[in-house]
Amino acid sequence: MNDIRSGYLAIVGRPNVGKSTLLNHLIGAKISIISRKAQTTRHRVTGIRTDADAQFVFVDTPGFQTKHTNALNRAMNRSVTQTLNDVDVVFFVIEAGRYDAKDKVVVRLLPKDRPVILVINKTDAVKDKAGLLPFFAEVAADFDYAAVIPVSAAKGRQTDDLLKEARKHLPHSGLLFAEDDLTDKSERFLAAEYIREKVFRLLGDELPYATAVEIEKFEIDGALRRIHAAIVVDRDGHKAIVIGKGGESLKRIASEARQDMERLFDGKVYLEIWVKVKSGWNDDERLLKSLGYE
């Protein structure tokens, strides 16, 4: 590992272009939660990949918000702009065949003093592959990109090309993290994220945006983890929906989250979840800080 290159790489883009799917594929583990709903990612999530000649420290960011301006969205946007100032390389992810004003808002944030690689994701979903060439040219004209790499994060196509290109731009330095580290996030953080992912996946379209997760107790006893968590909602009506008829929704959220945790933590998990109401939590700076938002 004499010629090791190590550095930080930001993954940015508008909501729902596949940033978290890309991160999880690149590091080979589910660190960043995903769902079909936009804005699933709310925190900066760091994933670490160590190869024979490079260590890539990826920072997955929330999708940049252009519509809503509550305290939660302001915090997420701050997270994106701060990350862009802190990294060595930027992956700007867009969706193949789709490039509009929301993407161009992010283009205006891209740093001009460090390499930005344009990652065109979801190429597997495009039937007319020949039509992608003029699309590449149109998008690439808006910024001086170090490279343009088409990929399919979901299928793992051409992600090796992306890593090869990124490595060229990393500084020569020793390892930033231990070789077997996958993330700098705590198990407590990951547990909360897994629960929140199930809320996004299993409940209706609007409700997940009015929820957060608070870990109230996290104990490790040998290979067993005891986790007590609260799903925080905005009003009483939401509480009933999260619990579901006869408690069915909450049971399913807990069961699926627990299975994911056991896979990641490689041990048994005792998980207890309840629901509590904190009105206006997503527009309360103090409360957001207590829930771990930067």
Side-chain angles (χ1 to χ4, degrees), residues 160-197:
D160 285 348
D161 294 344
L162 182 58
L163 289 170
K164 200 170 169 184
E165 180 62 36
R167 185 188 179 275
K168 294 178 193 172
H169 305 288
L170 295 181
H172 287 270
S173 66
L175 295 178
L176 298 165
F177 293 91
E179 282 184 53
D180 55 355
D181 282 354
L182 289 177
T183 183
D184 65 346
K185 294 295 186 185
S186 67
E187 289 189 357
R188 188 185 188 101
F189 170 86
L190 294 168
E193 287 289 272
Y194 274 14
I195 295 166
R196 198 167 60 77
E197 179 191 64

Side-chain angles (χ1 to χ4, degrees), residues 75-140:
M76 292 195 294
N77 284 355
R78 278 197 304 273
S79 174
V80 175
T81 51
Q82 183 63 47
T83 299
L84 287 169
N85 293 326
D86 293 344
V87 297
D88 302 294
V89 181
V90 176
F91 289 172
F92 172 42
V93 185
I94 66 169
E95 194 174 318
R98 183 178 174 188
Y99 182 67
D100 58 28
K102 289 178 185 172
D103 299 290
K104 292 185 183 192
V105 168
V106 185
V107 171
R108 291 198 288 274
L109 301 172
L110 297 174
K112 295 186 172 61
D113 60 347
R114 67 205 72 188
V116 178
I117 298 171
L118 176 63
V119 183
I120 301 179
N121 191 25
K122 306 188 185 182
T123 52
D124 55 302
V126 177
K127 290 190 173 69
D128 177 22
K129 298 290 192 272
L132 282 176
L133 289 175
F135 174 76
F136 289 178
E138 175 207 342
V139 175

Side-chain angles (χ1 to χ4, degrees), residues 210-211 231-235 238-239 242 275-278 281:
T211 61
I231 296 172
V232 178
V233 296
D234 200 38
R235 40 184 191 265
H238 293 161
K239 182 175 180 177
V242 175
V275 186
K276 62 185 184 184
V277 180
K278 287 188 178 180
W281 70 266

Side-chain angles (χ1 to χ4, degrees), residues 11 17-28 34 93-94 119-125 149-160 162:
I11 304 176
V17 290
K19 298 183 297 295
S20 299
T21 302
L22 179 63
L23 171 71
N24 291 340
H25 175 77
L26 290 172
I27 63 168
I34 52 177
V93 185
I94 66 169
V119 183
I120 301 179
N121 191 25
K122 306 188 185 182
T123 52
D124 55 302
I149 312 279
V151 305
S152 166
K155 301 277 173 66
R157 289 181 192 154
Q158 287 184 262
T159 51
D160 285 348
L162 182 58

